[in-house]
């Protein structure tokens, strides 16, 4: 059976979150932005740029992609271990970047853990440039 790519919906959340939890190398925040509510907000704000891959019923890949009207951002790309090295990650990213291009977004950023060798090589192979001179700062915004 072929692999199908579809836009991610909130109904995919449980399977997507399970995939993210199994995947090494992702920085998940289950009680903040990666909660069901957090992902639902993200999908509502970013229609047409977040995707899942399925082999029949089985969810085997996922990626979040959004933009702020100027830059695109990619998060939480994951492919199930048994399906890796079959270009599924590549296809998911091309779907995201094609959708961004159609919106007129001409640049895209992402974070990758420097020690995640497989991901570093994946992004290098796809032509993404690494900016070692940039630092990243982050903070949890506590909301009652
Ligand atoms: C990174 C990841 C998404 C790649 O998905 P994938 O579907 O296996 O990637 P592709 O098959 O499209 O790989 C494209 C190319 O990237 C490179 N690549 C991918 N995985 C690699 C690995 N483990 N080691 C070395 N190179 C790799 C290869 O050059 C590959 O082409 P090739 O198979 O013809 O040599 C997948 O390994 C994964 O889910 N990892 C865990 C989560 C993660 O780290 N996500 C990225 C967060 S930034």
């Amino acid at each position: 059976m072929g692999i199908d790519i579809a836009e991610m919906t909130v109904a995919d959340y449980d399977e997507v979150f399970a995939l993210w939890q199994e995947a090494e190398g992702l920085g998940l925040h289950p009680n903040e932005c990666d909660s069901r509510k957090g992902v639902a907000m993200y999908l509502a704000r970013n229609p047409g740029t977040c995707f899942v891959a399925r082999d029949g019923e089985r969810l085997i890949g996922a990626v979040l992609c959004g933009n702020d009207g100027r830059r695109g951002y990619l998060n939480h790309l994951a492919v199930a271990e048994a399906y890796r090295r079959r270009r599924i990650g590549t296809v998911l990213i091309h779907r995201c970047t094609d959708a961004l291009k159609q919106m007129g977004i001409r640049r895209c950023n992402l974070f990758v853990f420097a020690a995640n060798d497989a991901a570093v090589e994946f992004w290098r192979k796809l032509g993404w440039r690494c900016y070692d001179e940039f630092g990243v700062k982050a903070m949890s915004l506590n909301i009652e």
Side-chain angles (χ1 to χ4, degrees):
M1 188 178 287
I3 305 298
D4 293 316
I5 309 289
E7 188 172 344
M8 189 188 297
T9 73
V10 185
D12 297 315
Y13 177 79
D14 289 334
E15 292 163 283
V16 168
F17 191 73
L19 176 74
W20 286 342
Q21 281 187 306
E22 278 170 23
E24 67 284 5
L26 299 185
L28 289 179
H29 297 279
N31 298 321
E32 300 173 2
C33 41
D34 298 322
S35 66
R36 181 185 300 275
K37 184 178 173 194
V39 172
M41 284 169 61
Y42 192 87
L43 295 177
R45 191 188 152 96
N46 296 289
T49 55
C50 300
F51 296 97
V52 293
R54 286 185 185 275
D55 180 7
E57 296 284 300
R58 183 174 173 192
L59 188 135
I60 50 116
V63 62
L64 294 179
C65 176
N67 77 89
D68 57 17
R70 174 174 166 272
R71 292 252 180 158
Y73 298 90
L74 282 164
N75 290 99
H76 294 358
L77 169 67
V79 173
E81 200 164 358
Y83 288 83
R84 290 182 190 167
R85 304 302 287 264
R86 290 166 55 175
R87 299 288 161 98
I88 295 165
T90 300
V91 169
L92 283 168
I93 293 308
H94 285 160
R95 288 291 294 264
C96 294
T97 52
D98 285 350
L100 290 174
K101 282 194 266 185
Q102 281 187 0
M103 294 172 179
I105 305 285
R106 301 167 72 99
R107 199 164 173 81
C108 187
N109 293 349
L110 62 90
F111 298 118
V112 54
F113 287 115
N116 187 349
D117 294 336
V120 167
E121 183 55 21
F122 171 82
W123 294 114
R124 193 197 64 75
K125 183 75 184 287
L126 267 64
W128 292 69
R129 181 176 161 199
C130 190
Y131 288 85
D132 289 330
E133 64 272 30
F134 283 168
V136 175
K137 296 183 179 25
M139 185 184 214
S140 293
L141 306 178
N142 295 316
I143 303 177
E144 291 308 313

